[in-house]
Every structure is written in structure tokens, then in C-alpha cells.
Amino acid sequence: MAKIAIVGGGPGGSSFVLWALRAGVQPEDLVIFDKARFPRPKLCGGALTTRGTEALDELLGRPPGGGETRRLEFRSVLGSFPVQERGSQWLYDRALLDDQLLSACVAAGVEVRQGCAVREVEAAPEGWRLRFGRDEVERFEWVVGADGARGIVGRSAGLRGGVVGRLVEAVFEATDDSLDPATLYFDFDPIVDGIPGYAWLFAYPKPGTAFAAEAGPPLRATDGLWKLGIMDGRGVTGGGALRDWTSRFADRHGFRLVDEKIQGWPEHYWSPRAEAHRPGLLLTGEAWGIDPLLGEGIAPAIELSRYAAGRLKGALDAGRATIPGYEAGLLRTEEGANLRFQWRLAERLYGPNGRRWMRVLFDHRYMRELAASGTERYGRLQRLQWRLIWRYVLQVLRGGLPSNAPLLSSPAE
Ligand SMILES: Cc1cc2nc3c(=O)[nH]c(=O)nc-3n(C[C@H](O)[C@H](O)[C@H](O)COP(=O)(O)OP(=O)(O)OC[C@H]3O[C@@H](n4cnc5c(N)ncnc54)[C@H](O)[C@@H]3O)c2cc1C
């Protein structure tokens, strides 16, 4: 009988399984439950910044069928600047990527039960009982919650979570070639309009279309499809207002809606206050929490699962049902330290003085130098935080602290 139930077969659950196998857990001790049947759709921009490409490459190699961009661009009414990472970014249709990750688990001999929704998780002697299907019940020594933004595992176990944001997104087509499909665009103008988040314009590598060729020739914006959306990193703006903002944003950039409608989905952000462990139970992936600043989730899901699988293997070897310091231990990893750094930035940029911090972001000369350098990776600047602070303090001493005064929206907003 399998000892460990993994609830959720997205990148969090499948990478947990692949890391656990690498750590020496036997495939027959693992079983994945997912309510969906794969390939299943997932509302997502599908972009992995370089931190994610490196993690995915280490786990599985580069899955075929994706696209690629070469840089990011941060924009707003205050101007724009390029963010050149030390590697490229990969783009995927999530149905395709997640199916390849889950298939790797099946190929490794792990049982996957698709179309199987877990309805409840209850504490049982020496483990947990899962309720699923038509009142079927099964007991496991360990349950791993990899069930995403509003997961049942964390809720059933009464674990305190982080902030839940609200996002909307849809597929669009470009009507002119002013944007470069080899760039991921992040636009912070929502903050100007009181929405604590940003909007994105990403090329969409729908299978069989031009942007899905990994290293093809340079393309024009009108050669393929795009995904446009907006993230409210605090979940305080209604879905209707986010859809209206996205429609105006699309018009301003010359995009036409291809999907029938603009859809919404929540995101759950990592927080130092979030709980992710009870005896015999732990959370990973978005169920624990993802990057609170840009909402990047695939890379954090893979990295959290690397950590979670290692800690669970340690507990199994020691014959223990508890993992001492599970949440705090993450902060000693590169991912954990950087999630905390991103969380601090999000608290500021999406907080009451957001416009001041937006001015800091667009006027921080040393940060812009780093962004242009091509030596760094998005989401990996924590080790430079003191230098970033110190250099900005010098800049402020010379030029003064930026204000939190209102900013003027872009003409068409
Ligand atoms: C609009 C939008 C755009 C995004 N864009 C990006 C982006 O460009 N790049 C990026 O890195 N991240 C992006 N994200 C975030 C990213 O999609 C997620 O963080 C990522 O999918 C997290 O992976 P996960 O495996 O933890 O969770 P999920 O991918 O959500 O997987 C959870 C799985 O659990 C299953 N499940 C849930 N409940 C149950 C249950 N009760 N029983 C059985 N199965 C269950 C679900 O079917 C699902 O397959 C975006 C998110 C949104 C909403």
C-alpha cells in the first residue's frame, strides 16, 4: 500500500514526486490524485524566468513544444527599462507542460489517479484519511498538499495561508508589430489606477503555432497569439474592474480578443507567516505560496517541492511523522531567502505607499544597472539586498526621497 498521497498533479505535485524519487523514495510508496484529466487547461501566462528554466532543466531537461523569450521589460507611465537575465525565458502552454511533467511520474512507475477529486482530508491514527469519489476512503501515512491556490489539504488541516490575489487573463491577437514577441512585458500602470499589481503581455506558444518553435527565426507580433492579463496582488479589486482594465489595456496596445471571454483565477502568495506542516502532512507548490511580487508560480512550485521532498525523505528515514522547523528551514534555502525578499518588495509596492515604491522601482539607478547587466536572474537578488539598499540611500541623499503623490494614467486608461 502506498504511504504518501500527493493531492494535485500540477508542477508542484509532479515535481515533488520526481524529486522524491531522486532522493530514494520508492515509486510504489507514492500516489498522485488529481481531480482533472491531463492534459488539462490551466489559466497561466506560461512563462518561466531563468530561475525556472534552470530548475526545470535540472528536473526533466527542456520539455519540447515551448517557446522562448530573451528578455523582460518593466514599463509604466514613468518609463521603461529592460531586464536582461543571464539566460533566456521559456514559454509553455500549461496543458502541454504539466502533461509532460505528470507523464514523467507515470513513466517512473508512480500511480496517478486522474479525475479523482479529494473532498476531505481528516486526521486518522498514524496518518490521514482521504475522502474522494463516491465516499471512498483511503488512509495514508503522509499527505502532500500540492493542490494549488485554494487547496483542500491546507484548509482541512487548518493551516494559516498567505494573501490570495485575483487575476484575469485571455488570449489575444496583435493588430500591429510594435511589440517584440521575444520580450515579456510587465506593465505596472495598474498601481497608478489604485490596483495593487501589474499587467502582462506575453507571446503564447499555442501548440502548432509560430511562437511554439523553440529557437526559430525572429518573429513579428502578428505572427502568433498573445496572452494579456492583470494581477491584483492583494485580491481587493473586483473581477469586473480587472476585466475592464484588461480590455482597455489591450485596446491601447492594439490587441483583439481571441478567447470568448476574459477568465479569472486566484493566486496564493508565499508569506513568512504561512503554515505548511502538521504531523504527517505538508504543503508544497502554490498550496504553500508563490512569488508575491510577480506571481511567478511554476519555478517556486518546483523549488518548494525540491525542499519538501528532501525534508519528507529525512522524516521517513528517521521514522518520524513531524518535520521540525519545516517552514523556517525553507528560509535557509536560496528559494526561501528569495521568496522572503520578493514578499518584502510586494508588501511595499502593493501597500499604501505603492506609488512611492513604483517611483523607487523606476528610478533606482543601481537596480537598473543590474537589470541591464545580463548577469542576474529575476527573483534572485536577495544576496544583493544590502548593496541595493545602500546604493539607493546614496541616491536619495543626493536627490531626495520620491513622493507618494498620484501619478497620471496612460492617455487611454
Ligand atoms: C492568470 C494567471 C497567470 C499566471 N502566469 C504565470 C506565469 O506566466 N508563470 C508562472 O510561473 N506562473 C504563473 N501563474 C501561476 C502558476 O500558474 C501557478 O502558480 C502554478 O500552476 C502552481 O503550480 P501547482 O502545481 O502548485 O498548482 P496548480 O498548477 O494549480 O496544480 C494544482 C493541481 O491540483 C489539482 N487539485 C486541486 N484541488 C484538488 C482536489 N481537491 N483533489 C484533487 N486534485 C485537486 C488541480 O486539478 C491541479 O491540477 C499564473 C497564474 C494565473 C492565475
Side-chain angles (χ1 to χ4, degrees):
M1 193 190 80
K3 286 188 203 158
I4 307 164
I6 298 97
V7 183
S14 51
S15 64
F16 174 88
V17 162
L18 296 172
W19 292 124
L21 292 171
R22 261 190 216 190
V25 177
Q26 296 304 307
E28 56 274 17
D29 283 335
L30 299 159
V31 55
I32 301 177
F33 292 84
D34 202 296
K35 62 184 178 190
R37 292 195 180 276
F38 286 60
R40 54 109 176 82
K42 164 79 179 80
L43 198 68
C44 184
L48 288 104
T49 59
T50 300
R51 92 220 245 219
T53 66
E54 289 175 353
L56 183 59
D57 194 31
E58 192 184 334
L59 187 68
L60 198 66
R62 183 172 180 171
E68 185 174 295
T69 56
R70 312 278 154 75
R71 70 195 74 79
L72 286 60
E73 185 178 300
F74 283 9
R75 316 174 130 201
S76 77
V77 289
L78 297 170
S80 67
F81 62 94
V83 180
Q84 196 76 44
E85 296 197 278
R86 74 176 188 204
S88 62
Q89 301 78 41
W90 295 347
L91 284 171
Y92 282 97
D93 176 279
R94 283 293 302 277
L96 179 78
L97 175 66
D98 293 12
D99 193 40
Q100 295 191 62
L101 278 161
L102 196 63
S103 298
C105 300
V106 175
V110 173
E111 183 188 355
V112 178
R113 296 196 211 164
Q114 302 192 36
C116 190
V118 173
R119 287 190 286 109
E120 219 176 326
V121 182
E122 308 160 340
E126 293 179 27
W128 294 82
R129 263 191 304 267
L130 295 193
R131 284 190 186 277
F132 51 89
R134 286 187 176 203
D135 229 19
E136 286 170 74
V137 180
E138 221 168 298
R139 194 187 66 80
F140 293 90
E141 284 175 30
W142 280 90
V143 172
V144 176
D147 43 356
R150 293 210 185 266
I152 186 79
V153 177
R155 273 185 286 139
S156 295
L159 294 170
R160 185 174 57 233
V163 168
V164 175
R166 184 176 287 135
L167 292 83
V168 303
E169 185 192 66
V171 176
F172 287 80
E173 61 188 1
T175 57
D176 65 49
D177 287 317
S178 52
L179 294 184
D180 172 13
T183 300
L184 299 174
Y185 296 93
F186 297 82
D187 190 317
F188 290 88
D189 281 351
I191 295 175
V192 176
D193 296 325
I195 301 173
Y198 75 95
W200 64 91
L201 302 118
F202 294 175
Y204 168 37
K206 184 175 176 172
T209 65
F211 296 155
E214 273 124 53
L219 293 164
R220 292 165 309 167
T222 49
D223 286 338
L225 298 170
W226 289 70
K227 284 193 174 176
L228 271 62
I230 183 171
M231 157 189 167
D232 171 344
R234 287 291 176 270
V236 292
T237 316
L242 294 179
R243 285 185 182 85
D244 289 348
W245 202 96
T246 306
S247 297
R248 289 198 302 276
F249 179 63
D251 288 347
R252 178 154 65 92
H253 288 283
F255 280 88
R256 230 184 346 241
L257 185 64
V258 170
D259 278 341
E260 262 173 39
K261 58 176 186 169
I262 301 175
Q263 293 189 56
W265 194 254
E267 264 189 349
H268 177 222
Y269 303 116
W270 184 87
S271 149
R273 291 186 279 273
E275 297 173 314
H277 173 51
R278 291 281 183 268
L281 180 147
L282 53 84
L283 301 183
T284 186
E286 192 170 334
W288 187 349
I290 61 169
D291 184 334
L293 188 63
L294 291 193
E296 183 172 9
I298 305 167
I302 296 173
E303 289 295 351
L304 289 175
S305 287
R306 183 203 301 260
Y307 170 77
R311 295 297 311 263
L312 180 52
K313 177 68 167 69
L316 292 173
D317 290 346
R320 282 196 316 252
T322 52
I323 302 178
Y326 180 67
E327 292 90 347
L330 180 75
L331 298 173
R332 292 190 286 277
T333 67
E334 190 189 27
E335 183 64 26
N338 279 291
L339 278 173
R340 183 165 55 183
F341 182 67
Q342 299 292 99
W343 173 80
R344 286 200 179 113
L345 294 179
E347 289 289 293
R348 284 159 182 78
L349 196 61
Y350 303 149
N353 295 314
R355 288 180 303 242
R356 183 197 308 280
W357 285 97
M358 195 167 142
R359 287 180 170 99
V360 173
L361 175 67
F362 281 86
D363 189 38
H364 193 311
R365 285 195 287 276
Y366 176 58
M367 204 199 63
R368 287 172 69 143
E369 275 168 39
L370 279 179
S373 69
T375 56
E376 305 300 327
R377 290 166 293 167
Y378 166 77
R380 288 284 180 270
L381 293 182
Q382 185 274 338
R383 69 193 159 76
L384 294 168
Q385 67 171 323
W386 293 114
R387 208 177 300 170
L388 280 159
I389 292 170
W390 176 233
R391 294 285 290 263
Y392 194 67
V393 167
L394 286 181
Q395 192 180 318
V396 165
L397 287 175
R398 284 191 208 112
L401 190 66
S403 82
N404 194 39
L407 286 155
L408 284 182
S409 301
S410 296
E413 297 295 1

